[in-house]
Amino acid sequence: MPEHPAAATVATVAGVPVDTRHWIGGRRVASADTFADHSPIDGTELARIARGTAAEAEAAVAAARTAFPAWASTPPAERARLLHAIADGVEARLADLAAVETADNGALLRSHLRGVMPRVAHNFRFFADRLLELAHPELDTRGHANRVSWDPAGPCVLITPWNAPLMLATWKVAPALAAGNTVVLKPAEWSPLTASLLADIAAEAGLPAGVLNLVQGYGDEVGAPLTAHPDVRRISFTGSVPTARRIAETAGRNLTPVSLELGGKSPMLVFADADLDLAVELAVGQYDNAGQVCLAATRLLVDASVAEEFTARFTGRAAELRQGDPREESTDLGPNIHPRQLERIDGFVRRALAAGARAVIGGGPNPELGGLYYRPTLLAGVAQDSEVVQEEVFGPVLTLQTFDTEKEAVELANGTRFGLAATLVTGDRERADRIADQLVAGTVWVNCFFVRDLRAPFGGSRESGIGREGGDWSFDFYADLRNTVTAPKGWSDRG
Ligand code: NAD
């Protein structure tokens, strides 16, 4: 790789030095060009980031390929020890990671400090421990012994979105490394910073050079060549459906296995027998991260007999939400990520209003705060086939529809092309099971939301994705399973 020492080096973000270059083969690599990374909080330029190209993609895959044999043959206990050392490093730098992530993607600092970054560390600890617990079934076939083993697959390309950058990246990095693979991580260009801190942490923990590589840049410039590379053995992608289609097409040419975690338009079904205070609390909670959560239950489906009461309580509770600077402890709702995203969100809302929807609350940008702050919005009077009900908005915009029967509720719930998650609020346990069994969704929550166990499968049906990750499902994806069948006879006397 040519050196570009004058291009991009280190930026100070929230008081934390962040290297803005790639991390390839155990060293920092600049690019000829850079791109600007802005904070959604106030629009300031945080850093200029190395703008990767096909050359950096090639170098990163080459580094991952070179490092693979040694890492793959590193004993699982040693791999697990190194992953725990990375988790230690994450915990030691938790405050830095949280501050940089908030500056970069605008999500709440308190969430990063108390929820997200501890989970980042847990991602490494969980898959380190799980690696040592993997089952190696031994089956007997007419005296022949079957021995099942999990073999490292090779270099993995991991491509992640901006809404929960480090959490989603490490949800892939940790199992990929645990399984004995080497990694090239490509974070989103709107929030690229904490991935660079992760590279520092991994190096300080003693992860060998080339085992974890990081390339920065735009999807079409550096992401696309990564997904087209014939030496890549797995591609795991979290992001939007249109990008997933491109990646799947490209990967298909090399028959590279892909795991796709995509968008959603998840429903929350509120039945007449529900605890309405709980239902309202769960519904208002969907404005978390300014609505930029793939799992968010953005379609509120409420039994008509309680809809008026629900709406009144929802409106009262939503009025208590405090919107503002995500670094403030008292803030509930921060900015959206980027001017383009704000424009997109507002476009959905304006078109819905023009088509006859009614804004129960919100309905536009927050005029007091300006910038990228969009008012929490609830739209009623929306038809099932309308754009705002069918398309993922990815902002603080919920829709309200009513139903009269269970059958109608299920039809509305399943009536989009997505199938990521669903939430049920009901006081009737049998109804909960009955409805859950009819829903097309990778995860169904009953009287709760966002309760996640890393042992459980995670993923979406229909256009919400392909495959499941989590627990052994992650190892299923990141490992090559081998069955060795040994006959009882044929051994020499020396054997
Ligand atoms: P996006 O698809 O625009 O970008 C995601 C990543 O793909 C970025 O790193 C981008 O640079 C890269 N990319 C873009 N074009 C590429 C190409 N041609 N080849 C390779 N890489 C390319 O998505 P986004 O806007 O960053 O993220 C929001 C989306 O992610 C939403 O749809 C959301 O629902 C989804 N999401 C899903 C989950 C889940 O677990 N199911 C979690 C979080 C977000």
Side-chain angles (χ1 to χ4, degrees):
M1 290 292 301
E3 286 292 334
H4 301 284
T9 51
V10 175
T12 301
V13 177
V16 180
V18 184
D19 201 304
T20 55
R21 295 169 290 183
H22 316 284
W23 174 252
I24 297 174
R27 63 190 193 95
R28 290 288 175 180
V29 174
S31 283
D33 207 354
T34 61
F35 65 95
D37 176 33
H38 293 97
S39 176
I41 300 174
D42 53 13
T44 51
E45 182 175 303
L46 296 173
R48 294 204 66 87
I49 309 291
R51 182 170 169 175
T53 65
E56 289 86 351
E58 178 61 42
V61 174
R65 194 183 48 216
T66 304
F68 175 68
W71 180 246
S73 58
T74 299
E78 174 61 6
R79 295 205 299 262
R81 187 191 68 75
L82 280 163
L83 293 191
H84 276 295
I86 296 173
D88 293 342
V90 168
E91 285 164 357
R93 298 205 62 190
L94 201 118
D96 286 354
L97 290 166
V100 171
E101 197 84 298
T102 290
D104 207 12
N105 86 334
L108 299 185
L109 180 62
R110 64 178 154 90
S111 304
H112 283 148
L113 282 171
R114 280 170 229 143
V116 175
M117 294 308 163
R119 161 73 193 276
V120 165
H122 183 57
N123 282 342
F124 285 101
R125 296 203 191 285
F126 172 82
F127 285 108
D129 293 344
R130 196 77 192 171
L131 166 67
L132 304 181
E133 293 163 358
L134 279 178
H136 297 263
E138 295 201 6
L139 312 168
D140 182 274
T141 311
R142 298 184 303 278
H144 297 61
N146 294 251
R147 185 167 50 86
V148 176
S149 45
W150 310 76
D151 294 338
C156 299
V157 162
L158 312 179
I159 299 183
T160 49
W162 44 262
N163 63 317
L166 197 60
M167 206 282 286
L168 291 170
T170 54
W171 162 249
K172 299 179 187 302
V173 168
L177 294 182
N181 305 299
T182 51
V183 161
V184 180
L185 171 64
K186 208 300 277 173
E189 51 272 38
W190 286 351
S191 58
L193 298 177
T194 48
S196 184
L197 296 179
L198 177 69
D200 292 341
I201 289 168
E204 282 157 22
L207 197 71
V211 173
L212 172 64
N213 305 278
L214 166 71
V215 290
Q216 302 281 17
Y218 294 115
D220 51 351
E221 294 179 353
V222 74
L226 283 173
T227 60
H229 203 294
D231 291 340
V232 168
R233 294 286 173 256
R234 294 289 187 277
I235 298 168
S236 180
F237 169 76
T238 299
S240 66
V241 173
T243 306
R245 285 192 207 286
R246 283 199 287 279
I247 289 176
E249 279 172 21
T250 307
R253 287 200 282 277
N254 293 326
L255 294 180
T256 311
V258 291
S259 173
L260 303 175
E261 297 188 349
L262 312 178
K265 193 74 191 177
S266 300
M268 175 179 295
L269 291 79
V270 180
F271 289 91
D273 55 20
D275 172 344
L276 276 195
D277 287 333
L278 172 67
V280 164
E281 208 50 42
L282 293 172
V284 170
Q286 306 308 316
Y287 293 127
D288 191 34
N289 207 9
Q292 302 166 135
V293 177
C294 59
L295 295 161
T298 50
R299 293 186 294 133
L300 306 180
L301 309 179
V302 183
D303 188 300
S305 66
V306 294
E308 201 176 316
E309 176 66 19
F310 173 87
T311 308
R313 290 198 211 179
F314 178 95
T315 306
R317 177 67 188 86
E320 295 168 6
L321 292 175
R322 283 149 303 189
Q323 189 164 29
D325 190 321
R327 294 165 295 195
E328 302 290 335
E329 183 70 21
S330 59
T331 298
D332 297 308
L333 200 74
N336 289 101
I337 182 85
H338 193 276
R340 257 201 340 254
Q341 185 66 11
L342 194 82
E343 186 51 41
R344 189 171 176 273
I345 294 166
D346 199 40
F348 278 116
V349 172
R350 279 189 277 113
R351 288 190 295 277
L353 293 174
R358 177 174 61 86
V360 179
I361 62 168
N366 187 322
E368 286 156 32
L369 295 171
L372 299 179
Y373 295 83
Y374 203 85
R375 286 189 292 159
T377 295
L378 176 65
L379 298 177
V382 289
Q384 176 69 7
D385 62 357
S386 64
E387 181 196 55
V388 77
V389 169
Q390 292 294 324
E391 298 294 328
E392 184 183 48
V393 176
F394 225 54
V397 178
L398 309 180
T399 57
L400 178 70
Q401 293 168 274
T402 60
F403 61 83
D404 292 313
T405 63
E406 277 189 6
K407 184 168 175 288
E408 196 187 346
V410 170
E411 277 170 10
L412 291 173
N414 287 341
T416 74
R417 56 185 212 283
F418 295 104
L420 191 54
T423 301
L424 304 181
V425 197
T426 173
D428 181 338
R429 186 182 287 270
E430 283 177 18
R431 166 180 273 163
D433 289 343
R434 188 166 63 238
I435 302 289
D437 288 347
Q438 298 174 67
L439 294 176
V440 181
T443 303
V444 178
W445 283 290
V446 180
N447 294 334
C448 61
F449 181 71
F450 221 94
V451 178
R452 292 268 292 110
D453 186 323
L454 301 199
R455 293 170 298 182
F458 176 83
S461 304
R462 296 180 177 163
E463 289 192 18
S464 289
I466 295 179
R468 294 290 182 273
E469 297 191 29
D472 290 354
W473 291 274
S474 286
F475 286 97
D476 261 353
F477 177 70
Y478 290 111
D480 277 333
L481 281 160
R482 178 168 40 82
N483 186 26
T484 305
V485 185
T486 305
K489 57 190 181 196
W491 305 110
S492 70
D493 289 344
R494 278 167 290 139

